[in-house]
Amino acid sequence: MAQHILVLHGPNLNLLGTREPAVYGRRTLAEIDRRLRQLATEAGAQYASLQSNQEGGLVDRIQAAATDGTDFIIINAAAYTHTSIAIRDALAAVAIQFVEVHLSNVHRRESFRHVSYLSDLAQGVIVGLGAFGYEAAMRYALTA
Ligand code: DQA
């Protein structure tokens, strides 16, 4: 079971709750984070999370995970999923197992969202299940 779980949220996910609710749901990021923290701490794991609108901020946090005890990452890199070789390289460099999450079913959307720079490195990918996808990823982390 993972002991130190890091959850990373990419750009515009700070707007959850009001951002295109028909696509992303009405749960706020704070509500999602609260639930994930609860699941982790109930299981005796450490929980950390970061939302950043900056690619470099996400890269820096992934690099820091190499030395802060993180043994599992749950990441919704949002739009950077489809563009960021830098985030891919950081995840490859730290070699910490991770699950990629997307609230929406990216495969039902525009073709540019069908490409992920992360998926082939991920332990698993969860799309289209809304906030429950994060919870499923957390439950997996707590058994991994
Ligand atoms: C997203 C899907 C991405 O294509 C989009 O850019 C996001 C959110 C999702 O959770 O469904 O910002 O990662």
Side-chain angles (χ1 to χ4, degrees), residues 82 105-116:
H82 318 302
N105 181 350
V106 285
H107 301 291
R108 280 216 297 232
R109 302 181 64 196
E110 304 95 323
S111 58
F112 61 82
R113 296 185 205 276
H114 301 175
V115 174
S116 169

Side-chain angles (χ1 to χ4, degrees), residues 79-90:
Y80 289 139
T81 306
H82 318 302
T83 62
S84 181
I85 298 170
I87 291 174
R88 174 194 174 83
D89 284 352

Side-chain angles (χ1 to χ4, degrees), residues 68-144:
D68 72 359
T70 298
D71 54 7
F72 200 99
I73 295 173
I74 296 169
I75 183 167
N76 182 351
Y80 289 139
T81 306
H82 318 302
T83 62
S84 181
I85 298 170
I87 291 174
R88 174 194 174 83
D89 284 352
L91 288 164
V94 300
I96 296 168
Q97 62 176 335
F98 72 94
V99 166
E100 174 184 348
V101 173
H102 299 284
L103 294 150
S104 64
N105 181 350
V106 285
H107 301 291
R108 280 216 297 232
R109 302 181 64 196
E110 304 95 323
S111 58
F112 61 82
R113 296 185 205 276
H114 301 175
V115 174
S116 169
Y117 280 87
L118 311 183
S119 295
D120 64 304
L121 298 180
Q123 196 77 26
V125 181
I126 301 171
V127 304
L129 303 185
F132 179 78
Y134 285 103
E135 188 166 329
M138 176 59 73
R139 290 187 184 281
Y140 175 77
L142 292 170
T143 62

